[in-house]
Amino acid sequence: PAEPSSMQARSLCGWSPAGRRAWLDGAPAPDAVDVFQRVCAQVAAYLELGPPETAAGTTATLALWVFLTYLYSVFDAVPYLYIGGPLASGKSRVFEVLARMVFRPLHSSSMTGPCLFRTLHDRGGTLLLDEAERLRQPGPEQSELLAMLLAGYKRGGTATRLEPVGDTFRPVEFGVYGPKALAAINNLPPALASRCIPIRMFRAGPDSPKPRRRIDAEPDAWRRLRDDLHALALSNGLAWLSLPARADACPPMPGRAYELWQPLLSLAAHLEDHGATGLLALMQAHALASIDAGQEDQTPDIDETLLRLLAEALRAGDQPTPGEILSRAQAADGQGFRTWSARGVAEHLKRYGLVTRKVRGRKVYRVEHLKVLVQVQTAYSVDLGFTPAGNVPPRTPTCPQAFPEAPGDALPGGT
């Protein structure tokens, strides 16, 4: 990215002039484990991160992601963070803490797509997008913003626009690849959620001192952290370049999950190699638990309804058409399927390998599709009524008139 603008240089969220001079004058590189521990300490001091059995893993995830914002360019993809939780659960406070540590924070809740991709292209950095639930609303502005976010997950992701040149126009690509954190009360669009590591926030109890702590009570502590993070990133280039090859850091996991977690787990492995004892095991367990908990979010509710209704019909011995599936779906959720067509049902089910067969002039789903549905239940962790062995337990029709159906503030990575 280009040099910071004069406004960024004057901000409280960059590399201080004193820190830059010290690094240029040959000051010793900071210790990576010490910097990691200090980032964890800041996260734990100001944020309520859930029950003790998950708080240490969540703290370490946020701290490793802070590191990643300085190193993301070595990876082919960068995981986004999804900060979720009910009202007043501390989502905005997460952004306040992150904004004081991540590389070139860009905090916004209302920036348009064009403004955002031009800003990211010009200055790079870390996007902190609040109120991201608006991405589920229909409209060209939301669609453009969503498209930019989906593209920015992979290295080389761009937004292409026609720019005026004299009396004509030419296509110009704007680079949008980089780390992004999204906060929302409601769920994100499924395609975007699949690019995110979820961070679930919890409202602090009345006796917790964390919400009452002033984040900028000790500005020098934040400044020293930022200076050390910048110096650490520049002083360990060869080590960072080796991280994408560290497949050994990841336990067995699906492809997209591997793409999300490998950057953080490879960083955890590097820090453990340098003294952060137990950090990799903590992060591996946390990653697997997060993947398991998030499986159901990867299948849209609308798809799950269609898959369940089809499974119920086939188990009852029917051979339903897409139109009959649609009628049943409209009976169950009239508003959700109000504008749907039979063709739309067929297209959605086709994504899962469920293709109709023509029988006596009718395009229907047949009993052999049950095997596909068993595979879908296993692969997407949706409940379609099959036992793990693929046997079909008895089910009661829902509509007889239609066809049946770390403890406390403990810091991870200690020596």
Side-chain angles (χ1 to χ4, degrees):
E3 292 187 11
S5 67
S6 58
M7 180 181 68
Q8 294 160 11
R10 292 194 302 269
S11 75
L12 300 178
C13 299
W15 196 0
S16 73
R20 292 196 296 272
R21 283 195 300 271
W23 184 78
L24 290 169
D25 289 341
D31 178 74
V33 175
D34 173 68
V35 177
F36 173 75
Q37 287 280 10
R38 286 157 52 206
V39 173
C40 286
Q42 294 294 79
V43 169
Y46 295 102
L47 301 178
E48 198 70 54
L49 295 173
E53 59 269 20
T54 61
T58 305
T59 299
T61 299
L62 287 170
L64 289 168
W65 195 79
V66 167
F67 268 56
L68 185 63
T69 64
Y70 292 81
L71 321 171
Y72 67 89
S73 60
V74 307
F75 294 96
D76 293 330
V78 60
Y80 294 172
L81 292 184
Y82 163 43
I83 315 298
L87 283 170
S89 59
K91 297 184 296 298
S92 296
R93 192 166 176 86
V94 174
F95 279 4
E96 291 176 359
V97 171
L98 290 178
R100 284 155 178 79
M101 296 187 289
V102 298
F103 175 69
R104 292 192 182 178
L106 174 60
H107 194 171
S108 175
S109 61
S110 59
M111 192 174 288
T112 65
C115 179
L116 187 54
F117 66 66
R118 291 173 190 276
T119 303
L120 288 175
H121 178 83
D122 178 61
R123 56 167 284 190
T126 307
L127 174 64
L128 306 174
L129 184 64
D130 210 348
E131 300 179 15
E133 56 266 17
R134 67 191 178 102
L135 294 171
R136 296 186 69 99
Q137 300 170 358
E141 181 179 320
Q142 287 78 8
S143 296
E144 185 173 40
L145 185 57
L146 178 59
M148 185 276 296
L149 293 171
L150 294 176
Y153 168 77
K154 289 272 195 179
R155 181 207 296 275
T158 60
T160 304
R161 294 295 182 273
L162 289 176
E163 296 289 294
V165 178
D167 296 332
T168 185
F169 292 83
R170 65 179 177 88
V172 176
E173 292 185 341
F174 297 88
V176 293
Y177 174 57
K180 300 169 181 64
L182 315 164
I185 296 173
N186 301 317
N187 289 336
L188 298 172
L192 186 57
S194 72
R195 290 158 167 78
C196 295
I197 290 174
I199 303 291
R200 298 292 180 182
M201 298 303 298
F202 292 80
R203 184 176 299 178
D207 297 330
S208 174
K210 296 182 182 182
R212 296 191 290 273
R213 290 173 179 157
R214 286 186 56 243
I215 290 181
D216 286 326
E218 298 183 53
D220 285 345
W222 296 114
R223 179 189 57 76
R224 288 192 298 270
L225 256 183
R226 289 192 299 271
D227 287 352
D228 286 347
L229 284 163
H230 280 87
L232 191 64
L234 291 175
S235 301
N236 291 269
L238 291 178
W240 308 142
L241 288 171
S242 70
L243 295 181
R246 295 210 57 171
D248 62 305
C250 291
M253 57 180 62
R256 174 54 65 86
Y258 177 88
E259 197 172 54
L260 284 172
W261 285 99
Q262 194 276 337
L264 296 184
L265 292 176
S266 64
L267 265 172
H270 173 82
L271 291 170
E272 177 143 339
D273 291 344
H274 289 77
T277 306
L279 176 60
L280 181 58
L282 170 70
M283 285 301 302
Q284 288 175 334
H286 184 74
L288 291 175
S290 178
I291 292 167
D292 186 58
Q295 283 286 345
E296 61 184 39
D297 294 335
Q298 296 180 13
T299 306
D301 292 342
I302 212 87
D303 287 16
E304 186 171 348
T305 298
L306 295 174
L307 292 165
R308 189 186 72 251
L309 292 174
L310 177 58
E312 291 169 351
L314 294 175
R315 286 201 300 268
D318 291 340
Q319 292 187 345
T321 66
E324 289 168 343
I325 296 287
L326 176 58
S327 296
R328 178 67 177 90
Q330 289 173 334
D333 182 5
Q335 182 62 28
F337 289 92
R338 179 173 56 86
T339 62
W340 276 62
S341 66
R343 183 174 181 178
V345 170
E347 288 297 323
H348 271 251
L349 292 176
K350 187 176 180 180
R351 299 173 183 173
Y352 299 92
L354 296 158
V355 182
T356 57
R357 301 286 187 269
K358 201 164 189 177
V359 177
R360 297 175 185 174
R362 300 171 72 239
K363 291 184 177 181
V364 300
Y365 297 99
R366 303 183 63 180
V367 67
E368 58 260 30
H369 288 111
L370 283 171
K371 294 180 180 179
V372 180
L373 287 164
V374 170
Q375 295 172 345
V376 169
Q377 174 174 282
T378 301
Y380 292 88
S381 296
V382 294
D383 181 11
L384 302 181
F386 301 108
T387 64
N391 298 322
V392 181
R395 290 175 64 92
T396 303
T398 57
C399 186
Q401 67 271 24
F403 55 77
E405 39 166 23
D409 289 344
L411 303 182
T415 54

